[in-house]
Amino acid sequence: MRDLWPRIEPLLAEAERPSRYLNHEFGCVRKPEAGFRFCMLYPDTYELGQANQALRILVNAVNARDGMAAERAFLPAPAFCDTLRAEGVPLFSVEGCSPVASFDVVGITLPHELAATNVLEALDLAGIPLHAADRAEDDPLVAGGGPCAFNPEPYAPFFDFFSIGEGEEALPEALEIVRRMRDAGAPRRAILHRLAQEPGCYVPSLYRWLDEAEAQRAGSWAQPVEEEVPARIDKRLFAGFAESPGWEPCVVPFSEVVHDRLNVEVLRGCARGCRFCQAGMMYRPVRERSADNVVESVLRGLAATGYDEVSLTSLSSTDHSQIADILMRVNRACEGKGVRVSVPSQRLDAFGVDMAGLVAGQKKGGLTFAPEAGTQRLRDVINKNVTEDDLFGAIDAAFSAGWRRCKLYFMLGLPTETDEDVKGIASLAQRAYDRAKAAVAPEQRGNVRVSVSCALFVPKAQTPFQWDGQIPPEEALRRVRLLRNSVKYKAVDVHWHDPATSFVEAVMSRAGREAAAWVEAAWRRGARFDAWTEHFNEGAWREAAVEAGIDPEAVAQTSYSTDRVMPWAHISTGVSTRFLARERRLAEQGRTTPDCTFGDCSACGACPSLGADNELARPRVANPSAPADSQEASHD
């Protein structure tokens, strides 16, 4: 183990924010005596990575094992990456300032598709060969995980193995296998063969990548090349989530990071069933921590960290069956202490007057609601299961409770979208603004702000819309212009995401293993930090497509029938392809499917295939104002 600090410290004068690279933060853990060392790497800057809950969870899970140490690493900001290269200083961990290449295993989370080139930037800066096939016996094993691992193929050549699903138990178990076999002198190939037999582990080098015709005949693009290697990899589920404590030790950073607050995860999974939403499919079933667990975790966390804000996190926190009880108890316990309690993921049909009062507090920032589509027809297509009345009721409640700013989140380019749906966004936003003004006193109406944020639809793997193509960037810009011209109120601001970056996202979401060459060629042309607007290099991606011989437009924009085998068919979230195809047919009919946690099973397949079930703190009550057809099960 080598401490690089004497070489790093003189360079900090050139760093934009030196605090990104300092060790010994409050709450960090060092285990220099441990014989087996794991580095958890986030492929972006400290401000983004340190706020990532998965990183905290996995580092704690590994450090809890005797004889194992986990340290964190982050990609330096672009200018400091260049400084380290020029000085010959490799990428280093935070806790020990050790070279990342000196660890036994390096884990890299894949939080979103635009992080792909940053993975290569991190490996290169660490001095680890980019391709798993080129790594020597004494190189670390490189493991991948996170949301993008549910289509791992565009990243496959760069990783030794992937951990598919939830990692609280899966990652430490995989590391134990590596430690045991390395101590016994086993070669790298034997370790990977053993890992491939572990539930939730995918070793790409042990699978032959088929061509289009072979894949469609075989029902999978990836074919095992060795015995005892499974044809399908099922995600791992942390079965003990509901009983596990919501508080666990966390690092308090020296400088402000994104979402700089105490985060307590109140539930995992979402069964609302939005047909565009990957997270809603891949984190099933729903599991809730109890109100007692959450409240105790919040109070312990605030006392241990000194934060004055706590966020109750999940995909849909207002769906928690005890959310009102949790908020009342936390507010009561924190009364007079200047603590703000936020619920960042709020459902329109769950945000009424009572909820507005419970989350209001003294510090009212902005609220974000997500109607997703401008017309009820299109909301039914995507299975959003909310109405205009739900939005207006939430606006009334929020602005009556003291809020003055609200952001409405929509998507452009959803399957079946028409110009009337685009104009519907403008109409809905303007009427929401009228409701907001009407809900406040006349002298306060000048402070009311409503903004519209539009993302371009990206067809995500493992969703009912995975077979749908993305609209071309030029068509996306036409729809943006249509929307902007349809908004007549100057007080309603319209913002939109760059279609060029969404195009890269779509390619990475839908492509197979052939896209890895595209990523590498783009990186070699300077692409990195693609999620940062000022650094996105569209030209590098366009030139790389020519070099790699890939047609990115075809990958992103082609629509398929639901019987086409997609490149991730060998990776299972537990939700069946049959269910996804059925949901796609229901979308064409404008029929909705209810949330199974409020009623009957929707037969998605997750519970039986994973040997689990929804775990609710108490039975949920369906919204009585929901449309009648959304209360009916949609089974074929």
Side-chain angles (χ1 to χ4, degrees):
M1 182 169 61
R2 187 155 52 98
D3 185 349
L4 293 172
W5 181 248
R7 298 178 63 191
I8 296 167
E9 186 178 17
L11 303 178
L12 293 182
E14 301 180 36
E16 180 184 4
R17 296 181 184 176
S19 58
R20 289 168 167 159
Y21 313 109
L22 301 180
N23 55 10
H24 301 302
E25 308 122 302
F26 181 81
C28 74
V29 175
R30 278 210 71 198
K31 298 173 67 177
E33 75 287 352
F36 186 90
R37 299 166 61 241
F38 169 73
C39 184
M40 187 72 209
L41 192 157
Y42 190 89
D44 213 312
T45 61
Y46 181 92
E47 288 90 339
L48 294 170
Q50 184 51 44
N52 184 270
Q53 282 187 283
L55 183 138
R56 181 189 73 190
I57 289 169
L58 296 177
V59 166
N60 283 342
V62 175
N63 274 330
R65 297 284 180 121
D66 290 338
M68 282 190 183
E71 298 188 19
R72 297 161 295 141
F74 306 92
L75 192 59
F80 203 60
C81 285
D82 297 338
T83 298
L84 294 180
R85 275 199 181 89
E87 297 295 330
V89 178
L91 186 63
F92 53 91
S93 67
V94 174
E95 281 82 357
C97 292
S98 300
V100 167
S102 70
F103 287 80
D104 296 286
V105 177
V106 175
I108 305 178
T109 187
L110 300 171
H112 52 79
E113 291 84 359
L114 294 177
T117 52
N118 278 7
V119 170
L120 302 192
E121 181 78 353
L123 290 173
D124 182 71
L125 197 58
I128 299 171
L130 297 187
H131 291 256
D134 296 333
R135 292 174 193 144
E137 289 294 332
D138 58 350
D139 282 321
L141 291 174
V142 179
C148 291
F150 283 95
N151 176 19
E153 297 309 328
Y155 316 86
F158 314 122
F159 286 87
D160 293 288
F161 71 97
F162 291 89
S163 181
I164 309 297
E166 298 170 2
E168 285 96 332
E169 297 169 333
L171 177 62
E173 289 170 6
L175 297 182
E176 287 283 7
I177 291 170
V178 177
R179 175 169 69 167
R180 185 174 66 251
M181 294 186 71
R182 278 201 164 171
D183 287 348
R188 193 181 193 93
R189 180 80 176 182
I191 295 172
L192 292 175
H193 186 274
R194 172 62 186 85
L195 284 172
Q197 301 167 50
E198 192 71 7
C201 268
Y202 174 49
V203 181
S205 62
L206 300 183
Y207 293 79
R208 182 171 72 91
W209 192 249
L210 306 182
D211 63 26
E212 172 80 31
E214 289 178 306
Q216 298 309 311
R217 286 195 301 270
S220 174
W221 290 74
Q223 183 181 74
V225 297
E226 294 187 9
E227 294 183 2
E228 301 178 318
V229 174
R232 189 182 81 175
I233 297 87
D234 295 313
K235 79 171 183 184
R236 283 291 298 270
L237 192 74
F238 177 35
F241 173 82
E243 292 75 36
S244 65
W247 157 252
E248 54 181 309
C250 68
V251 170
V252 179
F254 290 130
S255 59
E256 187 175 359
V257 299
V258 175
H259 308 309
D260 195 15
R261 59 201 177 202
L262 174 68
N263 293 300
V264 175
E265 190 178 10
V266 298
L267 67 91
R268 188 171 292 179
C270 176
R272 288 285 187 169
C274 297
R275 290 169 178 143
F276 58 83
C277 182
Q278 187 184 59
M281 300 297 161
M282 71 185 185
Y283 288 120
R284 296 184 181 205
V286 176
R287 290 144 290 159
E288 293 182 342
R289 286 179 166 133
S290 70
D292 288 346
N293 184 339
V294 173
V295 173
E296 180 185 359
S297 298
V298 167
L299 299 182
R300 286 187 62 194
L302 291 173
T305 63
Y307 277 117
D308 61 0
E309 181 178 357
V310 58
S311 179
L312 306 179
T313 66
S314 77
L315 292 175
S316 186
S317 296
T318 49
D319 274 347
H320 194 293
S321 63
Q322 294 180 307
I323 188 63
D325 183 39
I326 291 169
L327 288 168
M328 284 190 290
R329 291 170 61 182
V330 170
N331 285 335
R332 189 162 53 244
C334 296
E335 189 173 4
K337 298 179 181 179
V339 173
R340 178 183 174 189
V341 183
S342 63
V343 182
S345 44
Q346 295 145 349
R347 284 281 302 191
L348 285 170
D349 54 354
F351 195 88
V353 174
D354 293 341
M355 187 63 63
L358 289 171
V359 301
Q362 295 180 353
K363 302 177 182 179
K364 299 179 181 68
L367 282 174
T368 300
F369 294 121
E372 310 290 1
T375 63
Q376 192 60 47
R377 182 201 71 81
L378 192 52
R379 284 192 291 275
D380 289 345
V381 167
I382 65 177
N383 204 49
K384 186 63 182 177
N385 278 329
V386 297
T387 67
E388 287 187 2
D389 286 343
D390 293 324
L391 172 61
F392 295 149
I395 293 287
D396 291 345
F399 282 80
S400 296
W403 274 280
R404 296 295 177 263
R405 293 185 290 114
C406 178
K407 179 186 290 186
L408 302 180
Y409 187 88
F410 296 91
M411 275 189 281
L412 290 172
L414 286 163
T416 80
E417 183 182 71
T418 67
D419 283 0
E420 291 307 309
D421 296 309
V422 176
K423 294 175 183 177
I425 295 174
S427 172
L428 188 59
Q430 290 175 164
R431 285 179 287 138
Y433 176 73
D434 289 337
R435 293 294 288 255
K437 286 181 61 178
V440 304
E443 64 272 14
Q444 289 290 321
R445 289 173 184 171
N447 298 324
V448 170
R449 294 289 183 273
V450 172
S451 64
V452 170
S453 179
C454 290
L456 183 60
F457 164 69
V458 175
K460 295 285 188 175
Q462 312 281 1
T463 70
F465 287 162
Q466 64 184 5
W467 294 283
D468 289 275
Q470 185 184 67
I471 61 174
E474 56 272 19
E475 171 61 15
L477 290 175
R478 185 193 71 82
R479 298 189 194 188
V480 168
R481 289 193 296 270
L482 176 62
L483 172 59
R484 293 184 67 195
N485 292 336
S486 300
V487 174
K488 306 304 181 185
Y489 288 8
K490 291 183 178 179
V492 176
D493 296 320
V494 178
H495 308 274
W496 63 95
H497 293 190
D498 180 8
T501 58
S502 298
F503 173 73
V504 173
E505 285 185 74
V507 178
M508 292 299 296
S509 179
R510 303 184 89 209
R513 199 171 291 189
E514 71 284 353
W518 183 52
V519 173
E520 184 173 347
W523 172 74
R524 292 192 184 281
R525 281 169 168 75
R528 60 180 180 175
F529 292 92
D530 295 295
W532 297 28
T533 302
E534 65 271 30
H535 291 294
F536 179 68
N537 186 343
E538 183 178 4
W541 287 99
R542 292 292 179 185
E543 294 169 9
V546 176
E547 178 185 331
I550 185 175
D551 183 352
E553 282 79 11
V555 175
Q557 296 165 13
T558 302
S559 293
Y560 302 100
S561 65
T562 55
D563 60 358
R564 185 180 192 267
V565 177
M566 302 303 277
W568 48 87
H570 54 297
I571 307 294
S572 174
T573 65
V575 175
S576 70
T577 303
R578 180 181 176 185
F579 172 79
L580 299 179
R582 188 185 76 202
E583 284 295 293
R584 186 61 190 84
R585 292 194 299 273
L586 292 174
E588 292 175 355
Q589 301 165 17
R591 294 172 57 193
T592 60
T593 299
D595 183 338
C596 64
T597 61
F598 290 91
D600 295 335
C601 173
S602 57
C604 74
C607 292
S609 67
L610 297 170
D613 203 350
N614 293 325
E615 294 183 57
L616 306 180
R618 71 181 180 202
R620 291 180 175 177
V621 178
N623 177 16
S625 65
D629 66 336
S630 71
Q631 300 290 335
E632 299 171 3
S634 300
H635 298 293
D636 284 354

